[in-house]
Amino acid sequence: MRDGATLKFAGKEFRSRLIVGTGKYPDYPTMQKALEASGAEIVTVAVRRVNLDRTQESLLDYIDLKRYTLLPNTAGCYTAEEAVKYARLAREVGMSEMVKLEVIGDQRTLFPDNEELLRATRILVKEGFVVLPYTNDDPIMAKKLQDAGAAVVMPLGAPIGSGLGIRNPHNIMIILQTVQVPVIVDAGVGTASDAAIAMELGCDGVLMNTAIAGAKHPVMMAEAMRKAVEAGRSAYLAGRIPKKSYATASTTMEGMIE
Amino acid sequence: MEIRLNGKAREVAEGMTVRRLLEELGLHPMRVAVQRNLDIVKRERYEEVVLQPDDTIEVLTFMAGG
């Protein structure tokens, strides 16, 4: 049973089990309010060329670094070498060892290239990084990543940005039974119930971006996601009833008139 | 002399250091990473690394992402 009161990995501890991205918001003030409403303590960022046009605002002006832990990603990387390079650049910017490791295998699905992902994980772990790899929902791969030293494993629920929800809850469950490190569902969440399902399965956390940023009302959706993650977590800890095919009366027959 | 900065040609003074380049660009050195000809320049070396003609410099930072 994964019954810890907090999300723990690599000697760090977080009360919130919801990790949110900073991409695709209509504007930074909306993002800032959504982050606040989500209750997240970890937010993901990308590493990109600075804007040399100084009239544009900077993302970091809208993120309170005393409050949020930044989790840089390696989005857009297609080889282990490229991902490793971006992780090193991220460490240089952020002075943090944490990296959300993405090595993409295909542009259309954005599915991970697991071979390259595993290779990059091994290199970065050796360099002292705290590696959070985005992987597919394959228990064998999850185990390999754990054995390679990943701090957590982050299986997808569905393709990035698809909003299709947790397509294979059974695999997620097997992953939970296979690895000891925290399991964080990353990608695929579309709405609050998807996040709740991930948490009801026993996942240690959920990471999402598009589901909040792309909603008609991002701030309201961020709040819904916070509640869903909390509700799902409570339901998991409370222990759900087993599923049965037939009815069981909630009301006794005793005391009915003849 | 000319360098390439984030994919574009740029004229900079002879003897320009990474630190002075960041100053000129108005960038906070604690918020960026600098790559020079494919090698990362560590922050503690910004002062001493002198740019050469045709150097390819990339200055990166955290941007929105998922």
Side-chain angles (χ1 to χ4, degrees), chain B residues 2 4 8 13 21 27 30 46 51 54 58:
Chain B
E2 195 176 283
R4 276 196 85 72
K8 283 184 190 149
L21 176 69
L27 295 170
M30 294 305 284
Y46 286 176
L51 303 188
D54 300 322
E58 297 285 349

Side-chain angles (χ1 to χ4, degrees), chain A residues 45-135:
Chain A
V45 292
V47 181
R48 293 290 182 266
R49 280 173 170 168
V50 295
N51 210 322
L52 294 173
D53 170 12
R54 265 175 288 154
T55 56
Q56 289 209 6
E57 290 178 302
S58 149
L59 170 78
L60 292 177
D61 295 335
Y62 287 86
I63 298 177
D64 180 358
L65 297 176
K66 288 189 203 81
R67 177 168 172 184
Y68 299 104
T69 298
L70 295 184
L71 175 57
N73 67 28
T74 61
C77 294
Y78 281 77
T79 63
E81 282 70 27
E82 208 180 0
V84 165
K85 185 176 90 179
Y86 272 81
R88 288 174 183 153
L89 286 165
R91 174 154 71 179
E92 204 49 37
V93 181
M95 313 301 254
S96 155
E97 314 292 312
M98 258 166 55
V99 61
K100 180 193 165 190
L101 185 62
E102 291 180 42
V103 188
I104 302 302
D106 167 61
Q107 218 167 8
R108 198 161 55 93
T109 58
L110 298 181
F111 281 146
D113 180 330
N114 284 318
E115 201 178 352
E116 292 292 288
L117 180 69
L118 187 59
R119 213 155 61 76
T121 300
R122 290 195 177 118
I123 296 169
L124 291 171
V125 166
K126 208 175 281 176
E127 293 183 16
F129 280 88
V130 173
V131 181
L132 293 81
Y134 155 72
T135 177

Side-chain angles (χ1 to χ4, degrees), chain A residues 134-170:
Chain A
Y134 155 72
T135 177
N136 59 357
D137 55 4
D138 173 6
I140 309 301
M141 194 59 209
K143 178 76 165 51
K144 286 187 181 185
L145 290 166
Q146 172 182 270
D147 294 347
V152 308
V153 292
M154 303 208 293
L156 54 82
I160 294 173
S162 70
L164 288 171
I166 315 299
R167 298 319 298 165
N168 198 341
H170 305 284

Side-chain angles (χ1 to χ4, degrees), chain B residues 47-60:
Chain B
E47 191 94 56
E48 66 193 67
V49 172
V50 178
L51 303 188
Q52 301 299 316
D54 300 322
D55 267 359
T56 298
I57 305 293
E58 297 285 349
V59 185
L60 300 111

Side-chain angles (χ1 to χ4, degrees), chain A residues 118-225:
Chain A
L118 187 59
R119 213 155 61 76
T121 300
R122 290 195 177 118
I123 296 169
L124 291 171
V125 166
K126 208 175 281 176
E127 293 183 16
F129 280 88
V130 173
V131 181
L132 293 81
Y134 155 72
T135 177
N136 59 357
D137 55 4
D138 173 6
I140 309 301
M141 194 59 209
K143 178 76 165 51
K144 286 187 181 185
L145 290 166
Q146 172 182 270
D147 294 347
V152 308
V153 292
M154 303 208 293
L156 54 82
I160 294 173
S162 70
L164 288 171
I166 315 299
R167 298 319 298 165
N168 198 341
H170 305 284
N171 271 27
I172 301 289
M173 213 144 56
I174 297 171
I175 290 173
L176 286 161
Q177 290 159 1
T178 304
V179 300
Q180 286 75 49
V181 293
V183 175
I184 298 170
V185 162
D186 176 7
V189 166
T191 188
S193 53
D194 299 331
I197 287 169
M199 296 310 294
E200 285 167 16
L201 289 169
C203 289
D204 298 274
V206 183
L207 192 159
M208 64 180 75
N209 187 347
T210 310
I212 296 176
K216 204 178 281 178
H217 301 290
V219 181
M220 201 186 285
M221 186 57 92
E223 190 193 346
M225 291 300 184

